[in-house]
Amino acid sequence: MVIKKIVENAVQAKSEIDDLTRQGYTHDDIYIFAHDKKRSDNISDALDTEEVGMKEQGFLDSMKNMFSSRGDELRSKMEAAGLTAEDAADAERELDHGKLVLIVNK
């Protein structure tokens, strides 16, 4: 089952992650996205969440993302984390407004 949550900031993200871990999800099940790559990396590191990589995307998609726009890269990674293309596009629009997207995929 895939869960998508939209939050305003890292404090809200931490609260959601704490709730999810109490429900039995592990940090390995949780992905966090921000539009700015550095912000995304920093929050992922601070909150000990997973990052979408070759394991989830595969080699070719990972290589393609190196040459894609940030929006295309984010949508591709969110789809690899379990969202449909439509949900990933909706989530990417939320990222455009400075929000964070949590995706939980067990």
Side-chain angles (χ1 to χ4, degrees):
M1 178 171 91
V2 178
I3 300 168
K4 175 182 76 173
K5 294 184 176 271
I6 310 294
V7 296
E8 295 288 331
N9 54 45
V11 173
Q12 288 180 354
K14 181 177 180 354
S15 176
E16 290 288 343
I17 291 168
D18 291 345
D19 287 344
L20 290 162
T21 56
R22 281 192 292 275
Q23 294 174 35
Y25 295 97
T26 69
H27 287 261
D28 291 341
D29 301 327
I30 303 168
Y31 301 88
I32 191 162
F33 295 89
H35 203 282
D36 180 72
K37 182 157 180 43
K38 187 172 183 174
R39 181 181 183 210
S40 185
D41 291 343
N42 289 341
I43 293 171
S44 273
D45 289 344
L47 299 179
D48 190 30
T49 58
E50 278 299 302
E51 293 188 35
V52 175
M54 253 190 267
K55 177 180 89 175
E56 293 83 6
Q57 287 187 293
F59 179 75
L60 292 178
D61 282 340
S62 292
M63 294 303 294
K64 183 178 100 182
N65 281 339
M66 293 176 71
F67 303 101
S68 299
S69 71
R70 181 65 177 157
D72 290 342
E73 175 188 2
L74 287 166
R75 286 188 299 279
S76 175
K77 286 183 174 187
M78 287 188 279
E79 287 179 43
L83 294 185
T84 64
E86 184 177 322
D87 282 342
D90 290 343
E92 200 261 326
R93 280 190 287 281
E94 294 290 343
L95 295 176
D96 288 340
H97 297 290
K99 296 182 181 177
L100 300 173
V101 175
L102 292 171
I103 299 174
V104 185
N105 192 351
K106 196 162 196 145

